[in-house]
Amino acid sequence: MDFVPFVLTVITASTPLLLAATGELVTERSGVLNLGVEGMMLVGAIAAFAAASATGSAILGVLAGAIAGIATATIFGFLTLTMLANQVATGLALTIFGIGFSALIGASFVGFALDPLPKLNIAGLSGVPVLGAIFFGQDALVYLSFGMLSAVAWVLTRTRLGLILKAVGESHDSAHALGHPVILIRYGAVLFGGAMSGLAGAYLSLAYTPLWAENMSAGRGWIALALVVFATWRPGRLLFGAYMFGAITILQLHAQGWGVVIPSQFMSMLPYLATVLVLVLISSDRIRIRLNAPQCIGKVFHPAQ
Amino acid sequence: MIRLEPRGEVSRIWPLLTPLIAILLTLASGVAIFSAMGKDPGLALYTYFVQPVSTIYGVTELLVKAAPLVLIGMGLAIGFRANVWNIGAEGQFTIGAIFGGGFAIAFHDSDSILLLPGILFLGVLGGMVWGAIPAYLRTRFNANEILTSLMLTYVSILLLNYLVHGPWRDPGGFNFPESRIFSASAMMPTLIADSRLHLGFVFALLAILVGWLLLNRSVIGFQLRVVGQAPAAARHAGFSQNKLIWYSFLLSGGLAGLAGVAEVAGTIGQLLPTISPGYGFTAIIVAFLGRLNPFGVLLGGLVMALSYLGGEIAQIEIGLPAAVTGLFQGILLFFLLGCDALTHNRIKFSIAGRFVRI
């Protein structure tokens, strides 16, 4: 198989993972575990598809995906941060809700097709052999995924906001005592996670396969959650993880073309089995997990009376 | 400005009231959703929640659907009490059906009375094996059981898909992806003539009874409750967290496997690519709706079974998409978790500097 088409398909498979995992990384660094990524992605995907097919504008579609992600994340934020509900259960509820809600809205969009997101085309550069198509021929969301990851890395390591966010995630009581608005910061982080999951969904329904299919995220939201653990909550490793998983997804799609005679169902298991394997490899180093995991993750914050 | 503050002592009434309030709020949302979709909300609610159980046959169908939900929900409720999150019950259900169903297919020409017990045993075993994997990975490698058990669900569904498309496809089935139909001796007896109500519901009732005994009359049940309610006390008492993880996964996996095998050897009668409308995930709601209490799980299972049954009828009669059921289930869980906050906290509204507490 040719190198360039392979890299191009890996990029499309990795981008939704990278977008969603970047958002979840920020959410988790603030000490909140949102297991509803899959649900937010699906709602983002159908909102983006509906908006794009109604208006004919890809930009409005992408925006609608992000806004829908924020809206669903708001439900999660209200329940866990204001109503102090259990984060694990609420995240699961968000996923169940997202699957049902997106399927309901999407019922009238099954069978529609859209033009895929337009790709960047810079005269002279995009036509350069090998490098041109890879670096200068992507759609906007691919560049955005790299931009957001860099921005998150910069904010976390180089800014006061990043320090406060990490402080809230490491010890909400200390952060609260220092006068930082714990709940507000966490709302911000949760909504950012929602926006990124919504964008990941928009990428699926506007670029990856420009159509709507029920449950089209097929577990990518959960893989994104695993990627955050894999990355031990660090942006740099997240990039590596997302592209590794993207490559696994594409390898299994192409395996049959290369004459591999394993039934397709077993090939389709690969991303899920790889997720389990990666979790095992990373988590078995308990000390590293303990050192890197935000200490307050999943814990309810009761503001002192 | 809304703020929650802890109650001095945990309310006794709220834990019982919250499921009812959550159900009422969900119905109210239903009215809004149906109206928005241009359906008569009264008719839609009637079709959804009353019509399904207006006949004897409807009631038996309700119990047919409640059986797997109650079986799985009971197992999950025990694990959730100890904060062991088995999210992969759907996978354990599927593997149970594969183990038991495979046995039924292998001995399709047998009429031995040992066939059915063998099928059921293998179903339970299959669920336990599939549940043991996340338990092992968690206790040995510290891998998050939520993610591993969920990933294994995707794997199990693909495995079933492979089997019915490949080696286990019915040789006389015109290439449809279905296994051969199980022989009569592989099927569970029905409880009421002319209905599909089978032994599975009896298993569900037994599971509730055993679950109650376990939680209230056994040492391990006590440990499970302490770990959930007072983790620090459990650590000081030296309760083994790993033992509870194993225990929770083997129990909930086994029950999910039993539910799966009961579904194929009771309700369906063969292996198909899709054997569950998401029972394993809905059972999570059943466990919460039932307050992680065995008898609550039974009631919760009936309520969620009604949502499935009503969804099917509403789809046929008033053309509501099947997805409405999933939406309702998600909304119900939202309301439940939101109302739950009132069990441990009270709401403090501050209006113009004055506080009002509920």
Side-chain angles (χ1 to χ4, degrees), chain A residues 35 38 75 79 82-86 88-90 92-94 96-97 100-101 103-104 219 222-223 225-226 263 265-266 268-269 272-273 275-276 279-280 283-284 286 302 305, chain B residues 4-6 37 85 87 137 139-143 146-148 150-151 154-155 158-159 161-162 165 281 284-285 288 321 323-324 326-327 330-331 333-334 337-338 341 345:
Chain A
L35 293 179
E38 182 88 357
I75 306 176
L79 285 171
T82 301
M83 300 299 280
L84 312 179
N86 179 308
V88 172
T90 311
L92 292 171
L94 194 61
I96 294 171
F97 168 83
F101 181 73
L104 178 62
W222 295 100
I223 292 178
L225 277 160
Q265 289 93 347
F266 286 96
S268 303
M269 290 176 193
Y272 308 117
L273 291 173
T275 307
V276 172
L279 275 174
V280 164
S283 309
S284 57
R286 286 169 201 249
H302 266 282
Q305 298 305 307
Chain B
L4 295 192
E5 57 179 34
M37 293 171 68
W85 299 99
I87 306 304
L137 298 179
T139 52
R140 173 74 181 79
F141 298 109
N142 193 32
I146 299 174
L147 294 171
T148 52
L150 194 94
M151 290 296 134
Y154 287 101
V155 172
L158 285 163
L159 182 65
N161 208 296
Y162 162 72
H165 276 92
F281 297 109
I284 297 170
I285 306 177
F288 282 112
V324 173
L327 180 65
I331 291 177
L333 192 46
F334 279 147
L337 293 165
N345 306 283

Coordinates of all heavy atoms in Angstrom, one line a residue, chain A residues 35 38 75 79 82-86 88-90 92-94 96-97 100-101 103-104 219 222-223 225-226 263 265-266 268-269 272-273 275-276 279-280 283-284 286 302 305, chain B residues 4-6 37 85 87 137 139-143 146-148 150-151 154-155 158-159 161-162 165 281 284-285 288 321 323-324 326-327 330-331 333-334 337-338 341 345:
Chain A
L35 N -17.6 10.3 32.3 CA -17.6 9.1 31.5 C -18.6 9.2 30.3 O -18.9 8.3 29.6 CB -18.0 7.9 32.3 CG -17.0 7.4 33.4 CD1 -17.6 6.2 34.2 CD2 -15.7 7.0 32.8
E38 N -18.7 9.4 25.1 CA -19.4 8.7 24.0 C -20.7 9.4 23.7 O -21.1 9.7 22.6 CB -19.6 7.3 24.4 CG -20.3 6.4 23.3 CD -19.3 5.8 22.3 OE1 -18.1 6.1 22.5 OE2 -19.7 5.1 21.5
I75 N -25.5 19.5 31.4 CA -26.3 18.6 32.2 C -25.4 17.9 33.2 O -25.7 17.8 34.4 CB -27.0 17.6 31.3 CG1 -27.8 18.3 30.2 CG2 -27.9 16.7 32.2 CD1 -28.5 17.3 29.3
L79 N -25.5 18.3 37.4 CA -25.7 17.2 38.3 C -24.6 16.9 39.2 O -24.7 16.7 40.4 CB -26.1 15.9 37.5 CG -27.5 15.9 36.9 CD1 -27.6 14.8 35.9 CD2 -28.5 15.9 38.0
T82 N -23.2 21.0 40.9 CA -24.2 21.7 41.7 C -25.0 20.7 42.6 O -25.1 21.0 43.8 CB -25.1 22.5 40.8 OG1 -24.3 23.4 40.0 CG2 -26.1 23.3 41.6
M83 N -25.4 19.6 42.0 CA -26.3 18.7 42.8 C -25.4 17.6 43.4 O -25.9 16.7 44.1 CB -27.3 18.0 41.9 CG -28.3 19.0 41.2 SD -29.2 20.0 42.4 CE -30.5 18.8 42.8
L84 N -24.1 17.6 43.2 CA -23.2 16.7 43.9 C -23.4 15.3 43.7 O -23.2 14.4 44.5 CB -23.1 17.0 45.4 CG -23.0 18.5 45.9 CD1 -23.0 18.5 47.4 CD2 -21.7 19.1 45.3
A85 N -24.0 14.9 42.5 CA -24.3 13.5 42.2 C -23.0 12.8 41.9 O -21.9 13.4 41.6 CB -25.2 13.5 41.0
N86 N -23.1 11.5 42.0 CA -21.9 10.6 41.7 C -21.5 10.7 40.2 O -22.3 10.6 39.3 CB -22.4 9.1 42.0 CG -21.3 8.1 41.7 OD1 -20.7 8.1 40.6 ND2 -21.0 7.3 42.6
V88 N -19.4 8.9 38.3 CA -19.4 7.7 37.4 C -20.9 7.4 36.9 O -21.1 7.3 35.7 CB -18.9 6.5 38.2 CG1 -19.1 5.2 37.4 CG2 -17.5 6.7 38.6
A89 N -21.8 7.5 37.8 CA -23.2 7.2 37.4 C -23.7 8.2 36.5 O -24.4 7.9 35.5 CB -24.1 7.1 38.7
T90 N -23.4 9.5 36.8 CA -23.9 10.6 35.9 C -23.3 10.5 34.5 O -24.0 10.7 33.5 CB -23.6 11.9 36.5 OG1 -24.0 11.9 37.9 CG2 -24.3 13.0 35.8
L92 N -22.3 7.7 33.0 CA -23.0 6.7 32.3 C -24.4 7.1 31.8 O -24.8 6.8 30.7 CB -23.2 5.5 33.2 CG -21.9 4.8 33.6 CD1 -22.2 3.7 34.7 CD2 -21.3 4.1 32.4
A93 N -25.1 7.9 32.7 CA -26.4 8.4 32.3 C -26.3 9.3 31.0 O -27.1 9.2 30.1 CB -27.0 9.2 33.4
L94 N -25.2 10.1 31.0 CA -25.0 11.0 29.9 C -24.8 10.2 28.6 O -25.3 10.5 27.5 CB -23.8 11.9 30.1 CG -23.6 13.1 29.2 CD1 -24.8 14.0 29.3 CD2 -22.4 13.8 29.6
I96 N -26.0 7.0 28.0 CA -27.3 6.4 27.6 C -28.2 7.4 27.0 O -28.8 7.2 26.0 CB -27.9 5.8 28.9 CG1 -27.1 4.6 29.4 CG2 -29.3 5.3 28.6 CD1 -27.5 4.0 30.7
F97 N -28.2 8.6 27.6 CA -29.0 9.7 27.1 C -28.6 10.1 25.7 O -29.4 10.3 24.8 CB -28.9 10.9 28.1 CG -29.5 12.2 27.5 CD1 -30.9 12.5 27.6 CD2 -28.7 13.2 26.9 CE1 -31.4 13.6 27.0 CE2 -29.2 14.3 26.4 CZ -30.5 14.6 26.5
G100 N -29.6 7.7 23.0 CA -31.0 7.7 22.7 C -31.4 9.0 22.0 O -32.1 9.0 21.0
F101 N -30.9 10.1 22.5 CA -31.3 11.4 22.0 C -30.8 11.6 20.5 O -31.5 12.0 19.6 CB -30.7 12.5 22.9 CG -31.0 13.9 22.4 CD1 -32.3 14.5 22.6 CD2 -30.0 14.7 21.8 CE1 -32.6 15.7 22.2 CE2 -30.3 16.0 21.4 CZ -31.6 16.5 21.6
A103 N -30.1 9.2 18.4 CA -30.8 8.3 17.5 C -32.2 8.9 17.2 O -32.7 8.7 16.1 CB -31.0 6.9 18.2
L104 N -32.8 9.5 18.2 CA -34.2 10.1 18.0 C -34.1 11.2 16.9 O -34.9 11.2 16.0 CB -34.7 10.6 19.3 CG -36.1 11.3 19.3 CD1 -37.1 10.3 18.8 CD2 -36.5 11.8 20.6
G219 N -17.9 3.4 20.2 CA -16.9 3.2 21.3 C -15.7 4.1 21.3 O -14.9 4.0 22.2
W222 N -15.2 6.0 24.5 CA -14.6 5.2 25.6 C -13.1 5.0 25.4 O -12.3 5.0 26.3 CB -15.3 3.8 25.7 CG -16.7 4.0 26.1 CD1 -17.8 3.9 25.3 CD2 -17.2 4.2 27.4 NE1 -18.9 4.1 26.1 CE2 -18.6 4.3 27.4 CE3 -16.5 4.4 28.7 CZ2 -19.4 4.5 28.5 CZ3 -17.3 4.6 29.8 CH2 -18.7 4.7 29.7
I223 N -12.7 4.9 24.1 CA -11.3 4.7 23.8 C -10.6 6.1 24.1 O -9.5 6.0 24.7 CB -11.1 4.4 22.3 CG1 -11.6 3.0 22.1 CG2 -9.6 4.5 21.9 CD1 -11.5 2.5 20.6
L225 N -11.3 8.0 26.5 CA -11.2 8.0 28.0 C -9.9 7.2 28.4 O -9.2 7.6 29.2 CB -12.4 7.4 28.7 CG -13.6 8.3 28.9 CD1 -14.9 7.6 29.1 CD2 -13.3 9.2 30.1
A226 N -9.8 6.0 27.7 CA -8.6 5.2 28.0 C -7.4 5.9 27.6 O -6.3 5.7 28.2 CB -8.8 3.8 27.3
P263 N -11.0 -13.5 9.9 CA -12.4 -12.9 9.7 C -12.5 -11.5 10.2 O -11.8 -11.1 11.1 CB -13.3 -13.8 10.6 CG -12.5 -15.1 10.8 CD -11.0 -14.7 10.7
Q265 N -14.6 -9.8 11.7 CA -15.0 -9.5 13.1 C -13.8 -9.5 14.1 O -13.7 -8.6 15.0 CB -16.0 -10.5 13.6 CG -17.4 -10.4 13.0 CD -17.5 -11.3 11.8 OE1 -16.5 -11.8 11.3 NE2 -18.7 -11.4 11.3
F266 N -12.8 -10.4 13.8 CA -11.7 -10.4 14.7 C -10.8 -9.2 14.5 O -10.2 -8.7 15.4 CB -10.9 -11.7 14.5 CG -11.6 -12.9 15.1 CD1 -12.4 -13.7 14.3 CD2 -11.5 -13.2 16.5 CE1 -13.0 -14.8 14.8 CE2 -12.1 -14.3 17.0 CZ -12.9 -15.1 16.2
S268 N -11.9 -6.3 13.6 CA -12.6 -5.2 14.2 C -12.5 -5.2 15.8 O -12.7 -4.1 16.4 CB -14.1 -5.3 13.9 OG -14.3 -5.3 12.5
M269 N -12.1 -6.3 16.4 CA -11.9 -6.3 17.8 C -10.6 -5.6 18.2 O -10.4 -5.2 19.3 CB -11.8 -7.8 18.3 CG -13.1 -8.6 18.3 SD -12.7 -10.3 18.8 CE -14.2 -11.1 18.3
Y272 N -10.4 -2.4 20.4 CA -10.9 -2.6 21.8 C -9.9 -3.4 22.6 O -9.6 -3.1 23.7 CB -12.3 -3.3 21.7 CG -13.3 -2.6 20.8 CD1 -13.8 -3.2 19.7 CD2 -13.6 -1.3 21.1 CE1 -14.6 -2.5 18.8 CE2 -14.5 -0.6 20.2 CZ -15.0 -1.2 19.1 OH -15.9 -0.6 18.3
L273 N -9.4 -4.5 21.9 CA -8.4 -5.3 22.6 C -7.1 -4.5 22.9 O -6.5 -4.6 24.0 CB -8.0 -6.6 21.8 CG -9.2 -7.6 21.7 CD1 -8.8 -8.7 20.8 CD2 -9.5 -8.2 23.1
T275 N -7.0 -1.3 23.4 CA -7.3 -0.4 24.6 C -7.1 -1.2 25.9 O -6.5 -0.6 26.8 CB -8.8 0.0 24.5 OG1 -9.0 0.6 23.2 CG2 -9.1 1.1 25.5
V276 N -7.6 -2.4 26.0 CA -7.4 -3.2 27.2 C -5.9 -3.4 27.5 O -5.5 -3.2 28.6 CB -8.2 -4.5 27.1 CG1 -7.8 -5.4 28.3 CG2 -9.7 -4.3 27.0
L279 N -4.2 -0.2 28.6 CA -4.6 0.1 30.0 C -3.8 -0.8 31.0 O -3.4 -0.3 32.0 CB -6.1 -0.1 30.2 CG -7.0 1.0 29.8 CD1 -8.5 0.6 29.9 CD2 -6.8 2.2 30.7
V280 N -3.7 -2.0 30.7 CA -3.0 -3.0 31.5 C -1.5 -2.5 31.7 O -1.0 -2.5 32.8 CB -3.1 -4.4 31.0 CG1 -2.1 -5.3 31.7 CG2 -4.5 -4.9 31.2
S283 N -1.4 0.9 33.6 CA -1.9 0.9 35.0 C -1.1 0.0 35.9 O -1.1 0.3 37.1 CB -3.3 0.5 35.0 OG -4.1 1.2 34.1
S284 N -0.4 -1.0 35.3 CA 0.3 -1.9 36.2 C 1.5 -1.2 36.9 O 1.9 -1.6 38.0 CB 0.8 -3.1 35.5 OG 1.7 -2.7 34.4
R286 N 1.8 1.1 39.2 CA 0.9 1.8 40.1 C 1.5 3.1 40.6 O 0.8 4.1 40.8 CB 0.6 0.9 41.4 CG -0.3 -0.2 41.1 CD -0.4 -1.2 42.2 NE -0.9 -2.4 41.7 CZ -2.1 -3.0 42.0 NH1 -2.9 -2.3 42.8 NH2 -2.5 -4.1 41.5
H302 N -17.5 19.3 48.5 CA -18.5 20.1 49.3 C -17.9 21.4 49.7 O -16.9 21.4 50.4 CB -18.7 19.3 50.6 CG -19.9 18.4 50.5 ND1 -21.2 18.8 50.6 CD2 -20.0 17.0 50.3 CE1 -22.0 17.7 50.5 NE2 -21.3 16.7 50.3
Q305 N -18.7 25.1 54.7 CA -19.8 26.0 55.0 C -19.3 27.2 55.7 O -18.4 27.2 56.4 CB -20.7 25.2 56.0 CG -21.3 24.0 55.4 CD -22.1 24.2 54.2 OE1 -22.9 25.1 54.1 NE2 -21.8 23.6 53.1
Chain B
L4 N -26.0 23.3 47.9 CA -26.4 22.1 48.7 C -25.6 22.1 49.9 O -24.4 22.4 49.9 CB -26.2 20.8 47.9 CG -27.0 20.6 46.7 CD1 -26.9 19.2 46.2 CD2 -28.5 20.9 46.9
E5 N -26.2 21.8 51.0 CA -25.4 21.6 52.2 C -25.8 20.3 52.9 O -26.9 19.8 52.8 CB -25.6 22.8 53.2 CG -27.0 23.0 53.6 CD -27.2 24.1 54.6 OE1 -26.4 25.1 54.5 OE2 -28.0 24.1 55.5
P6 N -24.8 19.6 53.5 CA -25.1 18.3 54.0 C -26.2 18.3 55.1 O -26.2 19.2 55.9 CB -23.7 17.9 54.6 CG -22.7 18.8 54.1 CD -23.5 20.1 53.8
M37 N -42.8 16.5 19.3 CA -42.8 15.7 18.1 C -44.1 15.7 17.4 O -44.3 14.9 16.4 CB -42.4 14.2 18.5 CG -41.0 14.1 19.0 SD -40.7 12.5 19.7 CE -40.7 11.5 18.2
W85 N -17.4 -1.1 39.6 CA -18.2 -0.7 38.5 C -18.1 -1.6 37.3 O -17.2 -1.5 36.5 CB -17.8 0.7 38.0 CG -18.0 1.7 39.1 CD1 -17.1 2.2 40.0 CD2 -19.2 2.3 39.5 NE1 -17.6 3.1 40.8 CE2 -18.9 3.2 40.6 CE3 -20.6 2.2 39.1 CZ2 -19.9 3.9 41.3 CZ3 -21.5 3.0 39.7 CH2 -21.2 3.8 40.8
I87 N -19.4 -2.3 34.1 CA -20.3 -1.7 33.1 C -20.4 -2.6 31.9 O -21.1 -2.3 30.9 CB -19.6 -0.4 32.6 CG1 -19.3 0.5 33.8 CG2 -20.4 0.4 31.6 CD1 -20.5 0.8 34.6
L137 N -7.7 -8.2 35.6 CA -6.9 -7.0 35.2 C -6.9 -5.9 36.2 O -5.9 -5.2 36.4 CB -7.5 -6.5 33.8 CG -7.4 -7.5 32.7 CD1 -8.0 -6.9 31.4 CD2 -6.0 -8.0 32.5
T139 N -7.4 -6.4 39.7 CA -6.7 -6.8 40.9 C -5.2 -7.0 40.7 O -4.4 -6.7 41.5 CB -7.3 -8.0 41.5 OG1 -7.4 -9.0 40.5 CG2 -8.7 -7.7 42.0
R140 N -4.9 -7.5 39.5 CA -3.5 -7.9 39.2 C -2.7 -6.7 38.6 O -1.6 -6.4 39.0 CB -3.4 -9.1 38.3 CG -2.0 -9.5 37.7 CD -1.2 -10.1 38.8 NE 0.1 -10.5 38.3 CZ 1.1 -9.6 38.2 NH1 0.9 -8.3 38.5 NH2 2.3 -10.0 37.7
F141 N -3.4 -6.0 37.7 CA -2.6 -4.9 37.0 C -3.2 -3.5 37.3 O -2.8 -2.5 36.6 CB -2.7 -5.1 35.5 CG -2.0 -6.4 35.1 CD1 -2.8 -7.5 34.6 CD2 -0.7 -6.5 35.1 CE1 -2.2 -8.7 34.2 CE2 0.0 -7.7 34.7 CZ -0.8 -8.8 34.3
N142 N -4.2 -3.4 38.1 CA -4.7 -2.1 38.5 C -5.4 -1.4 37.3 O -5.6 -0.2 37.3 CB -3.6 -1.2 39.0 CG -4.0 0.1 39.7 OD1 -5.1 0.0 40.3 ND2 -3.3 1.1 39.6
A143 N -5.9 -2.2 36.3 CA -6.5 -1.5 35.1 C -7.9 -1.2 35.5 O -8.7 -2.0 36.0 CB -6.4 -2.5 33.9
I146 N -14.0 -0.2 34.7 CA -15.1 0.4 33.8 C -14.7 0.3 32.4 O -15.5 -0.2 31.5 CB -15.3 1.9 34.2 CG1 -15.7 2.1 35.6 CG2 -16.3 2.6 33.3 CD1 -15.7 3.5 36.1
L147 N -13.5 0.7 32.0 CA -13.1 0.7 30.6 C -12.8 -0.7 30.1 O -13.3 -1.0 29.0 CB -11.8 1.6 30.5 CG -12.0 3.0 30.8 CD1 -10.7 3.8 30.8 CD2 -12.9 3.7 29.7
T148 N -12.2 -1.6 30.9 CA -11.9 -2.9 30.4 C -13.2 -3.7 30.2 O -13.4 -4.4 29.2 CB -11.0 -3.7 31.3 OG1 -11.5 -3.7 32.6 CG2 -9.6 -3.1 31.3
L150 N -16.1 -2.6 29.6 CA -16.9 -2.0 28.4 C -16.2 -2.5 27.1 O -16.9 -2.8 26.2 CB -16.9 -0.5 28.5 CG -18.0 0.0 27.6 CD1 -19.3 0.1 28.3 CD2 -17.5 1.2 26.9
M151 N -14.9 -2.4 27.0 CA -14.2 -2.8 25.8 C -14.5 -4.3 25.5 O -14.7 -4.7 24.4 CB -12.7 -2.6 26.0 CG -12.3 -1.2 26.0 SD -12.6 -0.4 24.4 CE -13.3 1.1 25.0
Y154 N -17.7 -4.9 23.5 CA -17.6 -4.8 22.1 C -17.0 -6.1 21.5 O -17.5 -6.6 20.4 CB -16.7 -3.6 21.7 CG -17.4 -2.2 21.9 CD1 -17.1 -1.5 23.0 CD2 -18.3 -1.7 21.0 CE1 -17.7 -0.2 23.2 CE2 -18.9 -0.5 21.2 CZ -18.6 0.2 22.3 OH -19.2 1.4 22.5
V155 N -16.0 -6.6 22.2 CA -15.4 -7.8 21.7 C -16.4 -9.0 21.7 O -16.5 -9.7 20.7 CB -14.2 -8.2 22.6 CG1 -13.6 -9.5 22.2 CG2 -13.1 -7.1 22.5
L158 N -18.9 -8.7 18.8 CA -18.2 -9.1 17.5 C -18.0 -10.6 17.4 O -18.2 -11.2 16.3 CB -16.9 -8.4 17.4 CG -17.0 -6.9 17.0 CD1 -15.7 -6.2 17.3 CD2 -17.4 -6.7 15.6
L159 N -17.7 -11.2 18.6 CA -17.6 -12.7 18.6 C -18.9 -13.4 18.2 O -18.9 -14.3 17.4 CB -17.1 -13.1 20.0 CG -16.8 -14.6 20.1 CD1 -15.6 -15.0 19.2 CD2 -16.5 -15.0 21.6
N161 N -21.3 -12.1 16.5 CA -21.5 -11.8 15.1 C -20.7 -12.8 14.2 O -21.2 -13.3 13.2 CB -21.0 -10.4 14.9 CG -21.7 -9.7 13.8 OD1 -21.6 -10.1 12.6 ND2 -22.5 -8.7 14.1
Y162 N -19.5 -13.0 14.6 CA -18.6 -13.9 13.8 C -19.2 -15.4 13.8 O -19.3 -16.0 12.8 CB -17.2 -14.0 14.4 CG -16.4 -15.2 13.9 CD1 -15.9 -15.3 12.6 CD2 -16.2 -16.2 14.8 CE1 -15.2 -16.4 12.2 CE2 -15.5 -17.3 14.4 CZ -15.0 -17.4 13.1 OH -14.3 -18.5 12.7
H165 N -22.4 -15.7 11.7 CA -22.1 -15.5 10.3 C -21.2 -16.7 9.8 O -21.2 -16.9 8.6 CB -21.4 -14.2 10.0 CG -22.3 -13.0 9.9 ND1 -22.6 -12.2 11.0 CD2 -22.9 -12.5 8.9 CE1 -23.4 -11.3 10.6 NE2 -23.6 -11.4 9.3
F281 N -27.0 -2.6 29.7 CA -26.8 -1.2 30.1 C -28.0 -0.7 30.8 O -27.9 0.1 31.8 CB -26.6 -0.3 28.8 CG -25.3 -0.7 28.1 CD1 -25.3 -1.4 26.9 CD2 -24.1 -0.4 28.7 CE1 -24.2 -1.7 26.2 CE2 -22.9 -0.8 28.0 CZ -22.9 -1.5 26.8
I284 N -28.1 -1.2 34.5 CA -27.4 -0.2 35.4 C -28.4 0.8 36.0 O -28.4 1.1 37.2 CB -26.4 0.6 34.6 CG1 -25.3 -0.3 34.0 CG2 -25.8 1.7 35.4 CD1 -24.4 0.3 33.0
I285 N -29.4 1.2 35.1 CA -30.4 2.1 35.6 C -31.3 1.4 36.6 O -31.8 1.9 37.6 CB -31.3 2.6 34.4 CG1 -30.3 3.3 33.4 CG2 -32.3 3.6 34.9 CD1 -31.0 3.8 32.1
F288 N -29.8 1.4 40.0 CA -29.9 2.7 40.7 C -31.3 3.0 41.0 O -31.6 3.5 42.1 CB -29.3 3.8 39.8 CG -27.8 3.9 39.8 CD1 -27.1 3.6 38.7 CD2 -27.2 4.2 41.0 CE1 -25.7 3.6 38.7 CE2 -25.8 4.2 41.0 CZ -25.0 3.9 39.9
P321 N -40.1 6.7 17.0 CA -38.9 6.0 16.8 C -38.5 5.1 18.0 O -38.8 5.6 19.2 CB -37.9 7.1 16.6 CG -38.6 8.3 16.3 CD -40.0 8.1 17.0
A323 N -35.8 4.8 19.4 CA -34.8 5.5 20.2 C -35.4 6.3 21.3 O -34.7 6.6 22.3 CB -34.0 6.5 19.3
V324 N -36.7 6.6 21.3 CA -37.4 7.3 22.4 C -37.2 6.6 23.7 O -36.9 7.2 24.7 CB -38.9 7.5 22.1 CG1 -39.6 8.1 23.3 CG2 -39.1 8.4 20.9
G326 N -34.6 4.8 24.7 CA -33.3 5.1 25.2 C -33.2 6.4 25.8 O -32.6 6.7 26.9
L327 N -33.9 7.4 25.1 CA -33.9 8.8 25.6 C -34.5 8.8 27.0 O -34.0 9.4 27.9 CB -34.6 9.6 24.6 CG -34.8 11.1 25.0 CD1 -33.4 11.8 25.0 CD2 -35.7 11.8 24.0
G330 N -32.3 7.5 29.7 CA -31.2 8.4 30.1 C -31.8 9.5 31.0 O -31.2 9.9 32.0
I331 N -32.9 10.1 30.6 CA -33.5 11.2 31.3 C -33.9 10.7 32.7 O -33.7 11.4 33.7 CB -34.8 11.7 30.6 CG1 -34.3 12.4 29.3 CG2 -35.6 12.7 31.5 CD1 -35.5 12.9 28.5
L333 N -32.5 8.4 34.5 CA -31.3 8.3 35.3 C -30.8 9.7 35.8 O -30.4 9.9 36.9 CB -30.2 7.5 34.6 CG -29.0 7.0 35.4 CD1 -29.4 6.4 36.7 CD2 -28.2 6.1 34.6
F334 N -30.9 10.6 34.9 CA -30.6 12.0 35.2 C -31.4 12.5 36.4 O -30.9 13.0 37.4 CB -30.8 13.0 34.1 CG -29.8 13.0 33.0 CD1 -30.1 13.2 31.7 CD2 -28.4 12.8 33.3 CE1 -29.1 13.2 30.7 CE2 -27.4 12.8 32.4 CZ -27.8 13.0 31.1
L337 N -30.5 10.7 39.7 CA -29.2 11.1 40.3 C -29.4 12.5 40.9 O -28.8 12.8 41.9 CB -28.1 11.1 39.3 CG -27.8 9.7 38.8 CD1 -26.9 9.7 37.5 CD2 -27.0 8.9 39.9
G338 N -30.1 13.4 40.2 CA -30.3 14.7 40.6 C -31.1 14.7 42.0 O -30.7 15.4 42.9
A341 N -29.4 13.7 45.3 CA -28.7 14.7 46.1 C -29.5 15.0 47.3 O -28.9 15.4 48.4 CB -28.4 15.9 45.2
N345 N -28.2 15.7 51.2 CA -28.1 17.2 51.3 C -29.4 17.8 51.3 O -30.4 17.3 50.9 CB -27.3 17.7 50.1 CG -26.0 17.0 49.9 OD1 -25.0 17.2 50.6 ND2 -25.9 16.1 48.9

